[in-house]
Amino acid sequence: MAANEMEFRTCPITGKKVYATTQNLMWINAVTAVVFILIGGIMALLVALTRLPAVHLLSPEWFYKALTAHGLNMLVFWIIFFEVAGLYFGSSVLLNSRLAAPKVAWLAYILMLVGSVLVDVMVFTDNATVMFSSYVPLQAHPLYYLGIILFAVGALTACGIFFGTLAIAKADKTYEGSLPLVTFGLSAAAIIAVFTLACGAIIYIPTFLWSLGVIKNLDPAMYRLIFWGFGHSSQQINVTAMVSIWYLLGALTVGAKPVNEKICRSAFVLYILFINLASEHHLLTDPTLSPAHKIWNTGYFMYMAVLASMIHALAIPMAVEVAQRKKGYTKGLFEWLTKAPWGEPGFPAMIFSLLIFGFIGGITGVVYGTEQLSIKSHNTWALTGHFHATVVGGTTLAFMGLTYYVIPLIFRREIIGKKWASAQPYVYAIGLILLILGMSGAGILGSPRRHWDVTFADSIIPFSFDPTVLLFTTIAALGGILAAVGGAMYVGVSVLSVFLGRKLAPNEAKLVY
Amino acid sequence: MAEERHEDFPAPGTGIIIIIFFVAFIMFYFLNWKWLSMVWNIG
């Protein structure tokens, strides 16, 4: 083993050992994630300005290209690169352990990077305008599928590094008792990731061969079923990782500790057992599955995962309230909340993430995931509103909040633009709430998702929506612009801080902004 | 992460948030069935 693999420092704030190899790998994965959120964010702005009839910015060709790139860069590349950084943090840093096989971890990173660049090049060169789902018989260039396979193999390898590090920590006795809750949650995310990436391999390898002409026919129904084992389950990894980060942010910002940790751990187990059933939401209007199957899967068993989300979403504010009341904020029902550290970016990021995910994403998800109600919402913009609440309002906002602590504590750089950092979660959250409400309102009135021209101006059969759709579409576009501003603030602060921020001496790092 | 132990319900504010959540959920669930019935008339 090379000497630098054993080189570590001890964080003066957390008392945790930070190994140099872990820090470097976290840095490269997190920085790469930010590059992809920048690409995905620019695409988001272009899509939002095209959906708005008054602007209608892009041509149809560029709209679908931008939408495909937006989905892949945001849903897959930004989030999974950041999650890999999180897995290395949750295993190596939180368990005081050296990282298993750092060289293999670098190989995993290179595979993910090559894969994601390949996918983006194919999309931007008109070789893969197939949207995120790339439903067969839509066919992309073989290099597009190869890019996704390489990315998935890299991510799977990173999960292996995570599990290997857990084994090393256990063998070296670097921690006592059970795994910390955050690491336990990330373990659940990694287990779900293995299932997800296996589904990706099962469907993308034959699709790659089909694009090469080696396989003549692919069954579109089989494709849809297995694809969503990858496509939606990857969002379940995000949910599980996001919840783990909520617990971490609660501890970092107000010293929150779960009132009953066993229940929280049980909820993570419920995720592992049941959350992937939610993938079949996408097939609720699909004629290939029987109504009985759909109702049992998504109408009964899936609620076990909903139960888990509710446990987490209520355990965390409860932990925050208990911690705040212990500090003396006991006046009335909500002094604990009004006196919380709203000026620190991590706290509003956590609370907005929790509220947007739970109140908007959770409620709409359960309702739209009901077999009968899905007929009304399927393929409308309301669905897009739902998953922007879960993945963007929930996951992305939580990841953004954590970034403001990782930069000073792990990368040891002073945050440049602390006021911008403090304001960023507010700007982003308000923009997202407007975006989601606009999408949901227009979608409930029938506005379709993934559509270049919501006015149907050039359609052969004329059609016009209720005029309220235009109002909601405008609200969504304004929200999208505001969210893009919030996203730009995040990218600006984090990139400037990581590259130009003053290097912090060990005793300078602090949690309070 | 150590566990906190309490004799009584320690978070009444969270209790109110839970109630608001359930009311919002019930209203949205009801509204969606209502909207479905308006789109798809039976009888």
Side-chain angles (χ1 to χ4, degrees):
Chain A
M1 188 183 296
N4 66 349
E5 285 183 26
M6 297 304 290
E7 183 188 328
F8 70 86
R9 65 181 171 84
T10 303
C11 173
I13 304 291
T14 61
K16 299 289 183 188
K17 288 179 183 173
V18 181
Y19 282 81
T21 48
T22 308
Q23 183 176 320
N24 293 340
L25 279 156
M26 281 182 66
W27 188 92
I28 194 73
N29 278 283
V31 168
T32 309
V34 172
V35 172
F36 283 111
I37 199 178
L38 176 64
I39 298 169
I42 293 168
M43 295 301 116
L45 188 60
L46 296 177
V47 168
L49 290 175
T50 307
R51 288 283 304 211
L52 184 62
V55 180
H56 210 43
L57 185 67
L58 300 177
S59 65
E61 292 77 16
W62 263 99
F63 173 76
Y64 290 108
K65 206 187 293 186
L67 196 52
T68 305
H70 169 62
L72 287 159
N73 283 278
M74 291 303 222
L75 278 173
V76 182
F77 305 147
W78 138 250
I79 285 180
I80 295 184
F81 271 111
F82 198 94
E83 278 167 355
V84 169
L87 287 178
Y88 296 155
F89 172 80
S91 54
S92 176
V93 177
L94 289 185
L95 297 182
N96 290 311
S97 171
R98 66 182 171 85
L99 197 70
K103 285 176 185 162
V104 181
W106 277 103
L107 177 66
Y109 168 77
I110 291 166
L111 283 172
M112 288 170 66
L113 183 66
V114 170
S116 48
V117 169
L118 208 50
V119 166
D120 270 351
V121 168
M122 288 299 107
V123 171
F124 286 119
T125 54
D126 279 334
N127 286 302
T129 310
V130 289
M131 313 296 283
F132 172 69
S133 47
S134 58
Y135 274 166
V136 170
L138 275 179
Q139 193 176 67
H141 192 282
L143 288 178
Y144 169 82
Y145 302 111
L146 181 65
I148 292 186
I149 292 167
L150 289 177
F151 184 87
V153 170
L156 194 58
T157 307
C159 289
I161 302 289
F162 172 79
F163 290 122
T165 308
L166 295 192
I168 288 172
K170 182 84 176 167
D172 292 351
K173 297 190 171 105
T174 59
Y175 66 99
E176 290 179 0
S178 306
L179 285 176
L181 183 61
V182 175
T183 308
F184 188 86
L186 289 171
S187 305
I191 291 168
I192 295 168
V194 171
F195 167 86
T196 304
L197 296 166
C199 284
I202 289 168
I203 200 58
Y204 274 113
I205 290 172
T207 311
F208 171 58
L209 296 174
W210 169 69
S211 69
L212 286 170
V214 176
I215 293 175
K216 295 299 171 199
N217 291 302
L218 269 185
D219 179 4
M222 181 200 72
Y223 178 90
R224 288 197 295 273
L225 179 67
I226 305 175
F227 170 78
W228 285 115
F230 166 80
H232 198 101
S233 302
S234 57
Q235 309 321 312
Q236 314 301 1
I237 307 169
N238 304 339
V239 167
T240 314
M242 169 195 73
V243 170
S244 307
I245 286 171
W246 284 349
Y247 284 112
L248 185 58
L249 284 174
L252 288 172
T253 54
V254 294
K257 296 169 185 170
V259 174
N260 189 328
E261 199 172 307
K262 288 189 182 74
I263 289 182
C264 302
R265 287 173 189 265
S266 306
F268 279 122
V269 175
L270 286 176
Y271 272 165
I272 295 171
L273 295 175
F274 295 104
I275 202 165
N276 282 340
L277 294 176
S279 303
E280 285 197 7
H281 280 159
H282 297 269
L283 305 175
L284 283 177
T285 56
D286 196 301
T288 51
L289 299 175
S290 74
H293 174 91
K294 291 173 188 171
I295 290 171
W296 270 105
N297 250 10
T298 60
Y300 289 93
F301 291 133
M302 205 275 297
Y303 288 142
M304 300 302 286
V306 175
L307 174 67
S309 282
M310 288 175 68
I311 290 171
H312 291 305
L314 300 173
I316 291 162
M318 191 173 185
V320 170
E321 181 172 357
V322 169
Q324 288 286 86
R325 284 181 182 276
K326 280 177 78 173
K327 289 177 188 168
Y329 302 122
T330 55
K331 199 175 164 187
L333 283 171
F334 292 110
E335 193 192 21
W336 61 276
L337 196 56
T338 55
K339 296 282 174 67
W342 291 100
E344 289 193 33
F347 189 80
M350 174 186 69
I351 293 293
F352 290 139
S353 165
L354 220 151
L355 290 178
I356 296 172
F357 177 87
F359 275 78
I360 308 178
I363 289 175
T364 54
V366 171
V367 171
Y368 301 156
T370 303
E371 202 252 350
Q372 300 88 337
L373 296 176
S374 179
I375 295 166
K376 175 87 171 63
S377 57
H378 191 77
N379 271 348
T380 70
W381 221 21
L383 256 296
T384 318
H386 154 71
F387 67 73
H388 277 76
T390 53
V391 181
V392 193
T395 306
T396 293
L397 198 47
F399 286 5
M400 286 173 167
L402 183 64
T403 305
Y404 298 121
Y405 295 93
V406 168
I407 291 172
L409 294 182
I410 305 293
F411 303 152
R412 288 191 296 173
R413 294 281 184 164
E414 189 173 33
I415 295 281
I416 291 181
K418 288 177 183 168
K419 285 184 179 171
W420 287 85
S422 296
Q424 187 271 330
Y426 294 91
V427 176
Y428 197 63
I430 292 168
L432 280 177
I433 290 168
L434 290 174
L435 173 76
I436 295 160
L437 290 181
M439 285 175 163
S440 301
I444 287 168
L445 291 167
S447 184
R449 66 185 291 201
R450 293 177 164 181
H451 209 291
W452 170 69
D453 179 16
V454 289
T455 62
F456 292 93
D458 296 330
S459 63
I460 296 166
I461 303 169
F463 181 81
S464 59
F465 281 113
D466 185 308
T468 322
V469 168
L470 184 60
L471 172 69
F472 281 120
T473 306
T474 308
I475 291 171
L478 292 175
I481 293 166
L482 194 56
V485 171
M489 288 165 73
Y490 167 76
V491 172
V493 169
S494 51
V495 168
L496 286 174
S497 303
V498 164
F499 288 102
L500 302 174
R502 186 174 61 85
K503 281 191 177 176
L504 294 172
N507 59 351
E508 279 188 297
K510 57 183 181 184
L511 276 175
V512 179
Y513 269 68
Chain B
M1 205 174 279
E3 208 171 283
E4 300 284 343
R5 298 211 170 273
H6 299 270
E7 296 301 322
D8 303 317
F9 185 63
T14 303
I16 300 295
I17 294 170
I18 293 169
I19 292 167
I20 295 170
F21 175 84
F22 278 118
V23 169
F25 174 74
I26 291 164
M27 285 174 63
F28 193 66
Y29 194 67
F30 170 80
L31 278 174
N32 270 268
W33 279 103
K34 180 71 181 167
W35 290 329
L36 180 64
S37 73
M38 289 160 68
V39 171
W40 189 3
N41 289 310
I42 297 174

